[in-house]
C-alpha cells in the first residue's frame, strides 16, 4: 500500500514529529509511506518538499494578512487561528498521483487551502486526516479554550476583536468548511480518546467516521540509558535531582509555565530540603525569560533538534513535568516515559490517558499549583522510583510502539479504501 503523508513541516512541531514517526512505523511494517511537506529540512529520500518559490511564501503571507485585517490589525491571536484560504494544489504532484491513500496531518499556515482539500477529496482516493488539535472540527481555532460553539455553529469567536459577531470570520470559514466536507468522506483519526470525544461533538464533522489512534514512538531510540552518562552528555549536574520541562516555546501561555513557577514555590516551601540538591532543566526556546522566576536553579538548554541529545536530556531527569492547560497527546510525555521517566501533568486533554495516577506518574487537578507541587513531591520523595520507571516503560510498549500503531492505521486505510471501492 502506498501512503502519502501530508504535513506542513518535516520536523518542526509536535505534528511533524508524530507524522515522521508514523511514516517510519509504516515503512518498518512493510508498507510504502512517503511524506510531502512544504518545509523540507533534511535530505531524507522518503520526504518530498514542495517546489520552493514565491508562491509558497505568498500563501503563508496572504493568509496571515487576511487574518491580521480581520483581527483589527492586532497581533494578539494572529497565530492562534487559521482560515486555509491559500495553499498548494498537491493533486498535481507525482507523489499524489502515485498514492493509494492520502493521509493529512497538520496542513495549516499556507500548506493546503480548503479548496485544495476539496480537490483531494474529489480525486477518488481514500483520505485519512489525523487530528493533532481541534482545527478540523472548528472554524478557525486549534484549541477551543472552553468555547463550545463548534458543537452547533461557529460565530461570535472569542479570539476575534470584541468577541466577534454573528457574521464574523469564524462564521464565514465554518460555512466554507461545511461545504468542503459535503464533497466526500474523510476518515478522521484523533491522537487521543479525549480529542475523539470532542471531535464527535462538532456539528461540522457530523456523519464522518472518527476514531482514535495514539502517536507512535521508536523505542529503539527513546529508551533508558545510564543516568550519569546522560547528564554528562546533556551538560547537567551529575549529582542531585532534576525536574525537566520541555516546550517548543516556554513562554506559550497554553503550556502553563505560570503554574509551574507557583508549583515550584510550593514545593520548596513544603520540602525545603530539596532546595539544596534539586535543579530544573528547561528544553526549549525562551527559557532564559523565566529562569529567574523559579525558586530552584535553572539550566536553560535552549531549542535542541538532535534526537540523541534529546534522549540524553530525558534520561538525565528524575521527573518530567508538563503543566499544559490544553493539550492533545503530548509527544513529550511519550518520550519521557519511553526513557523510563515518571511524568506529572494536569488532568486535561489526553494527558490522563498517558499518565496513570500514582502508577507511572501523577495527574494533578487542572490549574491547581498545589496539586502539581504535590505530584512533584510524590515522585521525588515518596514513590518507588524503580516501580514508576517499570510501569512507564510497560505503558509505552503496550500502547505506543511502532508496530501496534502502524497496524491500527493500516486497518483504517483498508476501511477507507473499501468505502471508495478501491482494490489495494
Amino acid at each position: 500500500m502506498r501512503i502519502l503523508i501530508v504535513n506542513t513541516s518535516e520536523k518542526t512541531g509536535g505534528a511533524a514529529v508524530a507524522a515522521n514517526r508514523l511514516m517510519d512505523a509504516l515503512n518498518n511494517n512493510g508498507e510504502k509511506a512517503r511524506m510531502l511537506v512544504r518545509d523540507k529540512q533534511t535530505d531524507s529520500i522518503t520526504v518530498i518538499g514542495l517546489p520552493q518559490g514565491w508562491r509558497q511564501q505568498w500563501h503563508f503571507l496572504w493568509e496571515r494578512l487576511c487574518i491580521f485585517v480581520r483581527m483589527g490589525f492586532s497581533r494578539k491571536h494572529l497565530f492562534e487561528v487559521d482560515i486555509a484560504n491559500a495553499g498548494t494544489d498537491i493533486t498535481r504532484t507525482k507523489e499524489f498521483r502515485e498514492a493509494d491513500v492520502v493521509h493529512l496531518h497538520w496542513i495549516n499556515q499556507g500548506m493546503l487551502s480548503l479548496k485544495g482539500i476539496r480537490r483531494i477529496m474529489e480525486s477518488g482516493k481514500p483520505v485519512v486526516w489525523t487530528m493533532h488539535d481541534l482545527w478540523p472540527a472548528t472554524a478557525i481555532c486549534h484549541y477551543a479554550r472552553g468555547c463550545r460553539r463548534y458543537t452547533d455553529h461557529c460565530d461570535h469567536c472569542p479570539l476575534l476583536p470584541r468577541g466577534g459577531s454573528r457574521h464574523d470570520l469564524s462564521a464565514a470559514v465554518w460555512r466554507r468548511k461545511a461545504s468542503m466536507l459535503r464533497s466526500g468522506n474523510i476518515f478522521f483519526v484523533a491522537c487521543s480518546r479525549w480529542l475523539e470525544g470532542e471531535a464527535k461533538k462538532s456539528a461540522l464533522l457530523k456523519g464522518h467516521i472518527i476514531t482514535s489512534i495514539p502517536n507512535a514512538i521508536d523505542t529503539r531510540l527513546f529508551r533508558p540509558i545510564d543516568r550519569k552518562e546522560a547528564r554528562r552528555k546533556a551538560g547537567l549536574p551529575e549529582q542531585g535531582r532534576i525536574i525537566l520541562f520541555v516546550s517548543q516555546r516556554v513562554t506559550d501561555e497554553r503550556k502553563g509555565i505560570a503554574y509551574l513557577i507557583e508549583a515550584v514555590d510550593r514545593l520548596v516551601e513544603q520540602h525545603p530540603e530539596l532546595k539544596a540538591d534539586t535543579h530544573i532543566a528547561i528544553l526549549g526556546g525562551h527559557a532564559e525569560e523565566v529562569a529567574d522566576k523559579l525558586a530552584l536553579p535553572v539550566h536553560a538548554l535552549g531549542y535542541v533538534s538532535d534526537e540523541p541529545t534529546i534522549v540524553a536530556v530525558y534520561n538525565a531527569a528524575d521527573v518530567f513535568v508538563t503543566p499544559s492547560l490544553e493539550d492533545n497527546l503530548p509527544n513529550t510525555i511519550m518520550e519521557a516515559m519511553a526513557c523510563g521517566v515518571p511524568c506529572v501533568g494536569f488532568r486535561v486533554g489526553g494527558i490522563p490517558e498517558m499518565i496513570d495516577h500514582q502508577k507511572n506518574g501523577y495527574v494533578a487537578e487542572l490549574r491547581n499549583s498545589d496539586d502539581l507541587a504535590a505530584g512533584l513531591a510524590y515522585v521525588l520523595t515518596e514513590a518507588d522510583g524503580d516501580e514508576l520507571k517499570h510501569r512507564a516503560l510497560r505503558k509505552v510498549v503496550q500502547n505506543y510502539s511502532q508496530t501496534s500503531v502502524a497496524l491500527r492505521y493500516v486497518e483504517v486505510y483498508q476501511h477507507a479504501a473499501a468505502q471508495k471501492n478501491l482494490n489495494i
Side-chain angles (χ1 to χ4, degrees):
M1 190 184 305
R2 293 166 297 185
I3 303 119
L4 182 64
I5 293 171
V6 184
N7 198 73
T8 300
S9 174
E10 179 183 1
K11 286 289 187 180
T12 303
V17 171
N20 254 287
R21 290 175 180 171
L22 176 60
M23 177 181 65
D24 291 341
L26 291 166
N27 286 328
N28 290 339
N29 281 272
E31 306 300 333
K32 296 178 180 178
R34 291 194 289 178
M35 194 168 166
L36 182 65
V37 301
R38 184 193 67 193
D39 304 330
K40 182 172 170 60
Q41 296 156 286
T42 73
D43 58 1
S44 171
I45 61 173
T46 57
V47 179
I48 299 92
L50 291 174
Q52 292 302 302
W54 67 268
R55 289 183 183 275
Q56 298 299 332
Q57 187 67 14
W58 174 247
H59 292 156
F60 170 78
L61 293 174
W62 176 245
E63 183 186 33
R64 287 310 109 187
L65 177 61
C66 292
I67 295 171
F68 190 46
V69 172
R70 298 297 290 268
M71 289 282 189
F73 302 100
S74 168
R75 294 178 56 88
K76 185 175 181 182
H77 299 299
L78 182 58
F79 288 94
E80 295 177 38
V81 303
D82 280 287
I83 60 176
N85 65 332
T88 301
D89 179 7
I90 67 168
T91 63
R92 299 179 181 180
T93 66
K94 174 177 175 285
E95 291 75 25
F96 182 89
R97 292 194 300 270
E98 293 177 346
D100 295 314
V101 176
V102 180
H103 189 165
L104 307 181
H105 282 255
W106 201 90
I107 44 74
N108 298 110
Q109 295 192 359
M111 174 66 182
L112 296 183
S113 66
L114 296 182
K115 185 184 294 185
I117 297 173
R118 181 195 289 270
R119 287 190 179 123
I120 293 170
M121 296 170 66
E122 292 174 345
S123 71
K125 294 181 184 289
V127 182
V128 176
W129 193 345
T130 290
M131 302 175 60
H132 294 276
D133 53 42
L134 262 177
W135 188 82
T138 70
I140 62 176
C141 71
H142 293 269
Y143 291 92
R145 299 176 183 265
C147 175
R148 311 300 295 173
R149 292 189 178 277
Y150 66 91
T151 62
D152 180 40
H153 184 285
C154 282
D155 56 19
H156 291 88
C157 180
L159 294 178
L160 296 175
R162 298 177 296 279
S165 67
R166 183 180 177 185
H167 302 290
D168 63 14
L169 180 62
S170 68
V173 176
W174 178 278
R175 289 192 297 271
R176 291 199 290 270
K177 275 191 175 180
S179 175
M180 175 197 75
L181 289 168
R182 283 195 293 269
S183 64
N185 287 325
I186 295 181
F187 281 67
F188 288 94
V189 178
C191 294
S192 67
R193 293 190 298 274
W194 164 78
L195 187 57
E196 176 190 2
E198 293 302 299
K200 286 181 175 178
K201 297 172 187 175
S202 170
L204 198 62
L205 302 188
K206 187 176 182 180
H208 290 270
I209 296 174
I210 306 170
T211 188
S212 61
I213 301 175
N215 296 331
I217 191 166
D218 186 353
T219 52
R220 296 168 301 180
L221 175 64
F222 287 88
R223 59 184 178 83
I225 62 175
D226 179 76
R227 180 168 290 176
K228 286 188 176 180
E229 176 188 340
R231 290 188 175 187
R232 284 195 295 269
K233 185 172 183 178
L236 293 169
E238 293 187 24
Q239 303 298 323
R241 304 174 179 87
I242 293 178
I243 300 169
L244 175 62
F245 172 57
V246 178
S247 176
Q248 186 173 350
R249 182 165 64 89
V250 172
T251 52
D252 183 348
E253 182 181 345
R254 185 173 59 86
K255 294 300 183 179
I257 186 64
Y259 290 90
L260 178 58
I261 292 169
E262 291 181 0
V264 171
D265 284 342
R266 305 288 190 281
L267 180 68
V268 171
E269 289 172 6
Q270 297 165 11
H271 298 272
E273 72 280 4
L274 293 178
K275 194 164 186 177
D277 66 348
T278 305
H279 303 255
I280 297 176
I282 300 180
L283 186 63
H286 302 274
E288 65 283 353
E289 296 178 27
V290 302
D292 60 353
K293 299 178 182 179
L294 288 151
L296 292 170
V298 172
H299 300 266
L301 304 176
Y303 180 79
V304 177
S305 58
D306 177 63
E307 286 188 323
T309 301
I310 294 172
V311 171
V313 172
Y314 279 118
N315 274 278
D318 295 275
V319 59
F320 174 76
V321 59
T322 176
S324 289
L325 306 179
E326 201 166 11
D327 228 323
N328 183 13
L329 197 83
N331 288 324
T332 52
I333 292 180
M334 192 183 304
E335 291 164 355
M337 290 175 64
C339 294
V341 180
C343 300
V344 176
F346 284 135
R347 187 178 301 280
V348 68
I351 291 175
E353 299 171 30
M354 307 179 80
I355 305 175
D356 299 317
H357 185 58
Q358 294 189 336
K359 293 181 179 179
N360 57 32
Y362 190 101
V363 181
E365 291 307 309
L366 181 59
R367 297 178 184 270
N368 189 327
S369 300
D370 289 333
D371 203 17
L372 194 66
L376 292 171
Y378 171 78
V379 173
L380 293 174
T381 67
E382 300 174 32
D384 183 329
D386 289 337
E387 186 63 23
L388 290 179
K389 177 178 180 177
H390 172 73
R391 289 174 174 172
L393 293 171
R394 185 170 59 188
K395 179 70 176 276
V396 170
V397 171
Q398 291 177 345
N399 294 274
Y400 311 129
S401 70
Q402 284 192 338
T403 299
S404 64
V405 172
L407 291 176
R408 291 179 67 180
Y409 264 111
V410 169
E411 289 181 2
V412 170
Y413 299 150
Q414 291 172 340
H415 191 187
Q419 293 294 314
K420 290 287 185 178
N421 294 316
L422 292 179
N423 182 20
I424 296 180

